[in-house]
PDB file of all heavy atoms in Angstrom:
ATOM      1  N   HIS S   1       0.790  -1.245   0.001  1.00 86.00           N
ATOM      2  CA  HIS S   1      -0.013  -0.012   0.013  1.00 86.00           C
ATOM      3  C   HIS S   1       0.833   1.273  -0.011  1.00 86.00           C
ATOM      4  O   HIS S   1       0.492   2.247   0.635  1.00 86.00           O
ATOM      5  CB  HIS S   1      -0.956   0.022   1.195  1.00 86.00           C
ATOM      6  CG  HIS S   1      -1.784  -1.240   1.305  1.00 86.00           C
ATOM      7  ND1 HIS S   1      -2.734  -1.601   0.373  1.00 86.00           N
ATOM      8  CD2 HIS S   1      -1.808  -2.239   2.246  1.00 86.00           C
ATOM      9  CE1 HIS S   1      -3.281  -2.755   0.697  1.00 86.00           C
ATOM     10  NE2 HIS S   1      -2.740  -3.166   1.818  1.00 86.00           N
ATOM     11  N   PHE S   2       1.959   1.272  -0.769  1.00 87.00           N
ATOM     12  CA  PHE S   2       2.735   2.479  -0.936  1.00 87.00           C
ATOM     13  C   PHE S   2       2.052   3.344  -2.007  1.00 87.00           C
ATOM     14  O   PHE S   2       1.414   2.811  -2.938  1.00 87.00           O
ATOM     15  CB  PHE S   2       4.170   2.170  -1.346  1.00 87.00           C
ATOM     16  CG  PHE S   2       5.022   1.567  -0.284  1.00 87.00           C
ATOM     17  CD1 PHE S   2       5.319   0.226  -0.264  1.00 87.00           C
ATOM     18  CD2 PHE S   2       5.484   2.332   0.759  1.00 87.00           C
ATOM     19  CE1 PHE S   2       6.105  -0.327   0.710  1.00 87.00           C
ATOM     20  CE2 PHE S   2       6.270   1.780   1.753  1.00 87.00           C
ATOM     21  CZ  PHE S   2       6.584   0.452   1.766  1.00 87.00           C
ATOM     22  N   SER S   3       2.164   4.670  -1.870  1.00 82.00           N
ATOM     23  CA  SER S   3       1.591   5.597  -2.870  1.00 82.00           C
ATOM     24  C   SER S   3       2.454   5.594  -4.121  1.00 82.00           C
ATOM     25  O   SER S   3       3.595   5.098  -4.144  1.00 82.00           O
ATOM     26  CB  SER S   3       1.548   7.005  -2.306  1.00 82.00           C
ATOM     27  OG  SER S   3       2.850   7.515  -2.145  1.00 82.00           O
ATOM     28  N   ARG S   4       1.883   6.115  -5.199  1.00 74.00           N
ATOM     29  CA  ARG S   4       2.646   6.200  -6.455  1.00 74.00           C
ATOM     30  C   ARG S   4       3.860   7.080  -6.322  1.00 74.00           C
ATOM     31  O   ARG S   4       4.934   6.821  -6.880  1.00 74.00           O
ATOM     32  CB  ARG S   4       1.732   6.710  -7.558  1.00 74.00           C
ATOM     33  CG  ARG S   4       0.610   5.756  -7.961  1.00 74.00           C
ATOM     34  CD  ARG S   4      -0.364   6.397  -8.924  1.00 74.00           C
ATOM     35  NE  ARG S   4      -1.427   5.436  -9.279  1.00 74.00           N
ATOM     36  CZ  ARG S   4      -2.480   5.777 -10.045  1.00 74.00           C
ATOM     37  NH1 ARG S   4      -2.635   7.017 -10.456  1.00 74.00           N
ATOM     38  NH2 ARG S   4      -3.366   4.859 -10.319  1.00 74.00           N
ATOM     39  N   THR S   5       3.759   8.181  -5.545  1.00 75.00           N
ATOM     40  CA  THR S   5       4.883   9.050  -5.323  1.00 75.00           C
ATOM     41  C   THR S   5       5.997   8.298  -4.620  1.00 75.00           C
ATOM     42  O   THR S   5       7.181   8.440  -4.988  1.00 75.00           O
ATOM     43  CB  THR S   5       4.451  10.305  -4.463  1.00 75.00           C
ATOM     44  OG1 THR S   5       3.432  11.007  -5.175  1.00 75.00           O
ATOM     45  CG2 THR S   5       5.668  11.190  -4.221  1.00 75.00           C
ATOM     46  N   THR S   6       5.667   7.514  -3.618  1.00 83.00           N
ATOM     47  CA  THR S   6       6.655   6.713  -2.901  1.00 83.00           C
ATOM     48  C   THR S   6       7.275   5.654  -3.824  1.00 83.00           C
ATOM     49  O   THR S   6       8.505   5.447  -3.795  1.00 83.00           O
ATOM     50  CB  THR S   6       6.028   6.041  -1.680  1.00 83.00           C
ATOM     51  OG1 THR S   6       5.454   7.026  -0.860  1.00 83.00           O
ATOM     52  CG2 THR S   6       7.090   5.277  -0.885  1.00 83.00           C
ATOM     53  N   ILE S   7       6.453   5.019  -4.645  1.00 80.00           N
ATOM     54  CA  ILE S   7       6.990   4.032  -5.578  1.00 80.00           C
ATOM     55  C   ILE S   7       7.958   4.705  -6.560  1.00 80.00           C
ATOM     56  O   ILE S   7       8.984   4.119  -6.914  1.00 80.00           O
ATOM     57  CB  ILE S   7       5.821   3.298  -6.303  1.00 80.00           C
ATOM     58  CG1 ILE S   7       4.998   2.463  -5.303  1.00 80.00           C
ATOM     59  CG2 ILE S   7       6.323   2.458  -7.451  1.00 80.00           C
ATOM     60  CD1 ILE S   7       3.736   1.852  -5.869  1.00 80.00           C
ATOM     61  N   GLY S   8       7.600   5.906  -6.978  1.00 72.00           N
ATOM     62  CA  GLY S   8       8.529   6.647  -7.860  1.00 72.00           C
ATOM     63  C   GLY S   8       9.882   6.893  -7.139  1.00 72.00           C
ATOM     64  O   GLY S   8      10.925   6.820  -7.794  1.00 72.00           O
ATOM     65  N   THR S   9       9.805   7.237  -5.886  1.00 79.00           N
ATOM     66  CA  THR S   9      11.043   7.454  -5.092  1.00 79.00           C
ATOM     67  C   THR S   9      11.839   6.171  -5.032  1.00 79.00           C
ATOM     68  O   THR S   9      13.056   6.195  -5.130  1.00 79.00           O
ATOM     69  CB  THR S   9      10.679   7.957  -3.710  1.00 79.00           C
ATOM     70  OG1 THR S   9       9.885   9.152  -3.824  1.00 79.00           O
ATOM     71  CG2 THR S   9      11.921   8.256  -2.888  1.00 79.00           C
ATOM     72  N   PHE S  10      11.139   5.037  -4.767  1.00 84.00           N
ATOM     73  CA  PHE S  10      11.813   3.759  -4.805  1.00 84.00           C
ATOM     74  C   PHE S  10      12.506   3.541  -6.133  1.00 84.00           C
ATOM     75  O   PHE S  10      13.638   2.951  -6.212  1.00 84.00           O
ATOM     76  CB  PHE S  10      10.820   2.605  -4.528  1.00 84.00           C
ATOM     77  CG  PHE S  10      10.340   2.564  -3.145  1.00 84.00           C
ATOM     78  CD1 PHE S  10       9.083   1.975  -2.873  1.00 84.00           C
ATOM     79  CD2 PHE S  10      11.087   3.038  -2.066  1.00 84.00           C
ATOM     80  CE1 PHE S  10       8.634   1.883  -1.560  1.00 84.00           C
ATOM     81  CE2 PHE S  10      10.666   2.971  -0.746  1.00 84.00           C
ATOM     82  CZ  PHE S  10       9.391   2.402  -0.492  1.00 84.00           C
ATOM     83  N   GLY S  11      11.879   3.986  -7.234  1.00 76.00           N
ATOM     84  CA  GLY S  11      12.525   3.846  -8.550  1.00 76.00           C
ATOM     85  C   GLY S  11      13.827   4.622  -8.647  1.00 76.00           C
ATOM     86  O   GLY S  11      14.796   4.161  -9.251  1.00 76.00           O
ATOM     87  N   SER S  12      13.897   5.776  -8.050  1.00 77.00           N
ATOM     88  CA  SER S  12      15.121   6.573  -8.021  1.00 77.00           C
ATOM     89  C   SER S  12      16.217   5.829  -7.230  1.00 77.00           C
ATOM     90  O   SER S  12      17.376   5.840  -7.634  1.00 77.00           O
ATOM     91  CB  SER S  12      14.853   7.953  -7.401  1.00 77.00           C
ATOM     92  OG  SER S  12      13.940   8.712  -8.168  1.00 77.00           O
ATOM     93  N   ILE S  13      15.806   5.203  -6.119  1.00 87.00           N
ATOM     94  CA  ILE S  13      16.753   4.454  -5.354  1.00 87.00           C
ATOM     95  C   ILE S  13      17.254   3.232  -6.147  1.00 87.00           C
ATOM     96  O   ILE S  13      18.443   2.883  -6.078  1.00 87.00           O
ATOM     97  CB  ILE S  13      16.081   4.033  -3.993  1.00 87.00           C
ATOM     98  CG1 ILE S  13      15.772   5.254  -3.165  1.00 87.00           C
ATOM     99  CG2 ILE S  13      16.987   3.060  -3.218  1.00 87.00           C
ATOM    100  CD1 ILE S  13      14.867   4.926  -1.962  1.00 87.00           C
ATOM    101  N   ASN S  14      16.332   2.610  -6.879  1.00 84.00           N
ATOM    102  CA  ASN S  14      16.701   1.525  -7.769  1.00 84.00           C
ATOM    103  C   ASN S  14      17.758   1.942  -8.793  1.00 84.00           C
ATOM    104  O   ASN S  14      18.739   1.230  -9.040  1.00 84.00           O
ATOM    105  CB  ASN S  14      15.436   0.985  -8.459  1.00 84.00           C
ATOM    106  CG  ASN S  14      15.746  -0.179  -9.393  1.00 84.00           C
ATOM    107  OD1 ASN S  14      15.982   0.051 -10.583  1.00 84.00           O
ATOM    108  ND2 ASN S  14      15.649  -1.403  -8.847  1.00 84.00           N
ATOM    109  N   ALA S  15      17.512   3.134  -9.356  1.00 79.00           N
ATOM    110  CA  ALA S  15      18.467   3.638 -10.356  1.00 79.00           C
ATOM    111  C   ALA S  15      19.882   3.936  -9.737  1.00 79.00           C
ATOM    112  O   ALA S  15      20.894   3.695 -10.341  1.00 79.00           O
ATOM    113  CB  ALA S  15      17.918   4.958 -10.981  1.00 79.00           C
ATOM    114  N   PHE S  16      19.858   4.417  -8.508  1.00 87.00           N
ATOM    115  CA  PHE S  16      21.103   4.692  -7.798  1.00 87.00           C
ATOM    116  C   PHE S  16      21.828   3.345  -7.592  1.00 87.00           C
ATOM    117  O   PHE S  16      23.072   3.247  -7.747  1.00 87.00           O
ATOM    118  CB  PHE S  16      20.853   5.362  -6.477  1.00 87.00           C
ATOM    119  CG  PHE S  16      22.066   5.706  -5.660  1.00 87.00           C
ATOM    120  CD1 PHE S  16      23.010   6.624  -6.199  1.00 87.00           C
ATOM    121  CD2 PHE S  16      22.325   5.108  -4.452  1.00 87.00           C
ATOM    122  CE1 PHE S  16      24.144   6.916  -5.474  1.00 87.00           C
ATOM    123  CE2 PHE S  16      23.464   5.415  -3.720  1.00 87.00           C
ATOM    124  CZ  PHE S  16      24.370   6.338  -4.232  1.00 87.00           C
ATOM    125  N   GLY S  17      21.071   2.301  -7.289  1.00 90.00           N
ATOM    126  CA  GLY S  17      21.667   0.967  -7.148  1.00 90.00           C
ATOM    127  C   GLY S  17      22.328   0.531  -8.451  1.00 90.00           C
ATOM    128  O   GLY S  17      23.408   0.000  -8.454  1.00 90.00           O
ATOM    129  N   THR S  18      21.634   0.758  -9.559  1.00 85.00           N
ATOM    130  CA  THR S  18      22.192   0.343 -10.856  1.00 85.00           C
ATOM    131  C   THR S  18      23.482   1.111 -11.123  1.00 85.00           C
ATOM    132  O   THR S  18      24.461   0.525 -11.617  1.00 85.00           O
ATOM    133  CB  THR S  18      21.183   0.638 -12.016  1.00 85.00           C
ATOM    134  OG1 THR S  18      20.006  -0.127 -11.808  1.00 85.00           O
ATOM    135  CG2 THR S  18      21.756   0.302 -13.347  1.00 85.00           C
ATOM    136  N   MET S  19      23.515   2.399 -10.868  1.00 85.00           N
ATOM    137  CA  MET S  19      24.707   3.195 -11.060  1.00 85.00           C
ATOM    138  C   MET S  19      25.888   2.678 -10.244  1.00 85.00           C
ATOM    139  O   MET S  19      27.006   2.456 -10.730  1.00 85.00           O
ATOM    140  CB  MET S  19      24.431   4.645 -10.746  1.00 85.00           C
ATOM    141  CG  MET S  19      25.621   5.565 -11.133  1.00 85.00           C
ATOM    142  SD  MET S  19      25.200   7.331 -10.917  1.00 85.00           S
ATOM    143  CE  MET S  19      25.123   7.406  -9.090  1.00 85.00           C
ATOM    144  N   ILE S  20      25.632   2.435  -8.946  1.00 89.00           N
ATOM    145  CA  ILE S  20      26.685   1.943  -8.047  1.00 89.00           C
ATOM    146  C   ILE S  20      27.124   0.543  -8.491  1.00 89.00           C
ATOM    147  O   ILE S  20      28.389   0.301  -8.592  1.00 89.00           O
ATOM    148  CB  ILE S  20      26.242   1.952  -6.589  1.00 89.00           C
ATOM    149  CG1 ILE S  20      25.896   3.358  -6.175  1.00 89.00           C
ATOM    150  CG2 ILE S  20      27.279   1.310  -5.687  1.00 89.00           C
ATOM    151  CD1 ILE S  20      27.086   4.343  -6.231  1.00 89.00           C
ATOM    152  N   PHE S  21      26.211  -0.352  -8.723  1.00 88.00           N
ATOM    153  CA  PHE S  21      26.601  -1.690  -9.092  1.00 88.00           C
ATOM    154  C   PHE S  21      27.311  -1.742 -10.477  1.00 88.00           C
ATOM    155  O   PHE S  21      28.196  -2.584 -10.661  1.00 88.00           O
ATOM    156  CB  PHE S  21      25.395  -2.620  -9.109  1.00 88.00           C
ATOM    157  CG  PHE S  21      24.847  -2.947  -7.751  1.00 88.00           C
ATOM    158  CD1 PHE S  21      23.525  -2.742  -7.453  1.00 88.00           C
ATOM    159  CD2 PHE S  21      25.676  -3.416  -6.737  1.00 88.00           C
ATOM    160  CE1 PHE S  21      22.995  -3.027  -6.158  1.00 88.00           C
ATOM    161  CE2 PHE S  21      25.184  -3.719  -5.496  1.00 88.00           C
ATOM    162  CZ  PHE S  21      23.869  -3.511  -5.185  1.00 88.00           C
ATOM    163  N   SER S  22      26.933  -0.856 -11.374  1.00 82.00           N
ATOM    164  CA  SER S  22      27.615  -0.766 -12.662  1.00 82.00           C
ATOM    165  C   SER S  22      29.062  -0.369 -12.509  1.00 82.00           C
ATOM    166  O   SER S  22      29.961  -0.967 -13.132  1.00 82.00           O
ATOM    167  CB  SER S  22      26.908   0.219 -13.572  1.00 82.00           C
ATOM    168  OG  SER S  22      25.618  -0.234 -13.931  1.00 82.00           O
ATOM    169  N   LEU S  23      29.311   0.569 -11.631  1.00 81.00           N
ATOM    170  CA  LEU S  23      30.681   0.999 -11.400  1.00 81.00           C
ATOM    171  C   LEU S  23      31.528  -0.004 -10.643  1.00 81.00           C
ATOM    172  O   LEU S  23      32.705  -0.229 -10.976  1.00 81.00           O
ATOM    173  CB  LEU S  23      30.703   2.352 -10.633  1.00 81.00           C
ATOM    174  CG  LEU S  23      30.068   3.553 -11.333  1.00 81.00           C
ATOM    175  CD1 LEU S  23      29.971   4.741 -10.404  1.00 81.00           C
ATOM    176  CD2 LEU S  23      30.913   3.914 -12.588  1.00 81.00           C
ATOM    177  N   VAL S  24      30.893  -0.698  -9.690  1.00 84.00           N
ATOM    178  CA  VAL S  24      31.638  -1.643  -8.888  1.00 84.00           C
ATOM    179  C   VAL S  24      31.809  -2.993  -9.579  1.00 84.00           C
ATOM    180  O   VAL S  24      32.912  -3.536  -9.704  1.00 84.00           O
ATOM    181  CB  VAL S  24      30.879  -1.890  -7.501  1.00 84.00           C
ATOM    182  CG1 VAL S  24      31.572  -3.004  -6.725  1.00 84.00           C
ATOM    183  CG2 VAL S  24      30.902  -0.597  -6.693  1.00 84.00           C
ATOM    184  N   LEU S  25      30.736  -3.581 -10.082  1.00 83.00           N
ATOM    185  CA  LEU S  25      30.803  -4.902 -10.719  1.00 83.00           C
ATOM    186  C   LEU S  25      31.550  -4.825 -12.067  1.00 83.00           C
ATOM    187  O   LEU S  25      32.056  -5.828 -12.533  1.00 83.00           O
ATOM    188  CB  LEU S  25      29.418  -5.489 -10.886  1.00 83.00           C
ATOM    189  CG  LEU S  25      28.606  -5.728  -9.639  1.00 83.00           C
ATOM    190  CD1 LEU S  25      27.233  -6.355  -9.944  1.00 83.00           C
ATOM    191  CD2 LEU S  25      29.343  -6.567  -8.664  1.00 83.00           C
ATOM    192  N   GLY S  26      31.550  -3.661 -12.695  1.00 73.00           N
ATOM    193  CA  GLY S  26      32.290  -3.527 -13.933  1.00 73.00           C
ATOM    194  C   GLY S  26      33.794  -3.625 -13.804  1.00 73.00           C
ATOM    195  O   GLY S  26      34.523  -3.812 -14.759  1.00 73.00           O
ATOM    196  N   ARG S  27      34.269  -3.604 -12.569  1.00 73.00           N
ATOM    197  CA  ARG S  27      35.706  -3.755 -12.312  1.00 73.00           C
ATOM    198  C   ARG S  27      36.069  -5.216 -12.075  1.00 73.00           C
ATOM    199  O   ARG S  27      37.273  -5.560 -11.955  1.00 73.00           O
ATOM    200  CB  ARG S  27      36.127  -2.910 -11.070  1.00 73.00           C
ATOM    201  CG  ARG S  27      35.920  -1.431 -11.281  1.00 73.00           C
ATOM    202  CD  ARG S  27      36.247  -0.624 -10.031  1.00 73.00           C
ATOM    203  NE  ARG S  27      36.063   0.777 -10.272  1.00 73.00           N
ATOM    204  CZ  ARG S  27      37.023   1.595 -10.717  1.00 73.00           C
ATOM    205  NH1 ARG S  27      38.195   1.128 -11.066  1.00 73.00           N
ATOM    206  NH2 ARG S  27      36.763   2.883 -10.892  1.00 73.00           N
ATOM    207  N   LEU S  28      35.075  -6.086 -11.925  1.00 76.00           N
ATOM    208  CA  LEU S  28      35.335  -7.520 -11.717  1.00 76.00           C
ATOM    209  C   LEU S  28      35.500  -8.232 -13.072  1.00 76.00           C
ATOM    210  O   LEU S  28      35.160  -7.702 -14.109  1.00 76.00           O
ATOM    211  CB  LEU S  28      34.166  -8.141 -10.959  1.00 76.00           C
ATOM    212  CG  LEU S  28      33.876  -7.597  -9.573  1.00 76.00           C
ATOM    213  CD1 LEU S  28      32.638  -8.328  -8.971  1.00 76.00           C
ATOM    214  CD2 LEU S  28      35.056  -7.691  -8.618  1.00 76.00           C
ATOM    215  N   ALA S  29      36.026  -9.440 -13.003  1.00 75.00           N
ATOM    216  CA  ALA S  29      35.981 -10.321 -14.194  1.00 75.00           C
ATOM    217  C   ALA S  29      34.526 -10.529 -14.576  1.00 75.00           C
ATOM    218  O   ALA S  29      33.655 -10.555 -13.709  1.00 75.00           O
ATOM    219  CB  ALA S  29      36.625 -11.647 -13.902  1.00 75.00           C
ATOM    220  N   VAL S  30      34.247 -10.543 -15.873  1.00 76.00           N
ATOM    221  CA  VAL S  30      32.832 -10.459 -16.328  1.00 76.00           C
ATOM    222  C   VAL S  30      31.947 -11.545 -15.803  1.00 76.00           C
ATOM    223  O   VAL S  30      30.774 -11.301 -15.417  1.00 76.00           O
ATOM    224  CB  VAL S  30      32.778 -10.373 -17.895  1.00 76.00           C
ATOM    225  CG1 VAL S  30      33.163  -9.010 -18.388  1.00 76.00           C
ATOM    226  CG2 VAL S  30      33.618 -11.434 -18.513  1.00 76.00           C
ATOM    227  N   TRP S  31      32.431 -12.815 -15.761  1.00 81.00           N
ATOM    228  CA  TRP S  31      31.592 -13.875 -15.197  1.00 81.00           C
ATOM    229  C   TRP S  31      31.296 -13.686 -13.742  1.00 81.00           C
ATOM    230  O   TRP S  31      30.174 -13.878 -13.244  1.00 81.00           O
ATOM    231  CB  TRP S  31      32.303 -15.213 -15.409  1.00 81.00           C
ATOM    232  CG  TRP S  31      31.822 -16.044 -16.580  1.00 81.00           C
ATOM    233  CD1 TRP S  31      32.523 -16.501 -17.610  1.00 81.00           C
ATOM    234  CD2 TRP S  31      30.473 -16.472 -16.850  1.00 81.00           C
ATOM    235  NE1 TRP S  31      31.758 -17.152 -18.513  1.00 81.00           N
ATOM    236  CE2 TRP S  31      30.470 -17.177 -18.088  1.00 81.00           C
ATOM    237  CE3 TRP S  31      29.210 -16.295 -16.198  1.00 81.00           C
ATOM    238  CZ2 TRP S  31      29.314 -17.733 -18.629  1.00 81.00           C
ATOM    239  CZ3 TRP S  31      28.084 -16.867 -16.730  1.00 81.00           C
ATOM    240  CH2 TRP S  31      28.147 -17.563 -17.934  1.00 81.00           C
ATOM    241  N   ARG S  32      32.331 -13.258 -13.012  1.00 84.00           N
ATOM    242  CA  ARG S  32      32.140 -13.011 -11.567  1.00 84.00           C
ATOM    243  C   ARG S  32      31.130 -11.908 -11.345  1.00 84.00           C
ATOM    244  O   ARG S  32      30.271 -11.943 -10.484  1.00 84.00           O
ATOM    245  CB  ARG S  32      33.456 -12.724 -10.907  1.00 84.00           C
ATOM    246  CG  ARG S  32      33.395 -12.548  -9.439  1.00 84.00           C
ATOM    247  CD  ARG S  32      34.777 -12.352  -8.825  1.00 84.00           C
ATOM    248  NE  ARG S  32      35.611 -13.508  -9.048  1.00 84.00           N
ATOM    249  CZ  ARG S  32      36.912 -13.583  -8.694  1.00 84.00           C
ATOM    250  NH1 ARG S  32      37.498 -12.513  -8.167  1.00 84.00           N
ATOM    251  NH2 ARG S  32      37.632 -14.642  -8.900  1.00 84.00           N
ATOM    252  N   GLY S  33      31.245 -10.852 -12.184  1.00 84.00           N
ATOM    253  CA  GLY S  33      30.316  -9.732 -12.044  1.00 84.00           C
ATOM    254  C   GLY S  33      28.886 -10.119 -12.373  1.00 84.00           C
ATOM    255  O   GLY S  33      27.944  -9.723 -11.682  1.00 84.00           O
ATOM    256  N   PHE S  34      28.728 -10.961 -13.425  1.00 86.00           N
ATOM    257  CA  PHE S  34      27.360 -11.399 -13.796  1.00 86.00           C
ATOM    258  C   PHE S  34      26.755 -12.235 -12.707  1.00 86.00           C
ATOM    259  O   PHE S  34      25.580 -12.010 -12.353  1.00 86.00           O
ATOM    260  CB  PHE S  34      27.450 -12.214 -15.111  1.00 86.00           C
ATOM    261  CG  PHE S  34      26.106 -12.730 -15.596  1.00 86.00           C
ATOM    262  CD1 PHE S  34      25.306 -11.824 -16.297  1.00 86.00           C
ATOM    263  CD2 PHE S  34      25.685 -14.007 -15.359  1.00 86.00           C
ATOM    264  CE1 PHE S  34      24.037 -12.263 -16.791  1.00 86.00           C
ATOM    265  CE2 PHE S  34      24.417 -14.418 -15.853  1.00 86.00           C
ATOM    266  CZ  PHE S  34      23.596 -13.547 -16.531  1.00 86.00           C
ATOM    267  N   LEU S  35      27.462 -13.190 -12.138  1.00 89.00           N
ATOM    268  CA  LEU S  35      26.902 -14.051 -11.079  1.00 89.00           C
ATOM    269  C   LEU S  35      26.627 -13.218  -9.832  1.00 89.00           C
ATOM    270  O   LEU S  35      25.622 -13.452  -9.117  1.00 89.00           O
ATOM    271  CB  LEU S  35      27.826 -15.168 -10.764  1.00 89.00           C
ATOM    272  CG  LEU S  35      27.968 -16.275 -11.855  1.00 89.00           C
ATOM    273  CD1 LEU S  35      29.051 -17.257 -11.489  1.00 89.00           C
ATOM    274  CD2 LEU S  35      26.620 -16.965 -12.048  1.00 89.00           C
TER     275      LEU S  35
END
């Protein structure tokens, strides 16, 4: 029962996660990063 505004905020947090994981996991060997 989260509001749409809150769900949108969660989406921003999700995007921040993608940015961080892209920078961090991109430094690993590709198989290790994928798993």
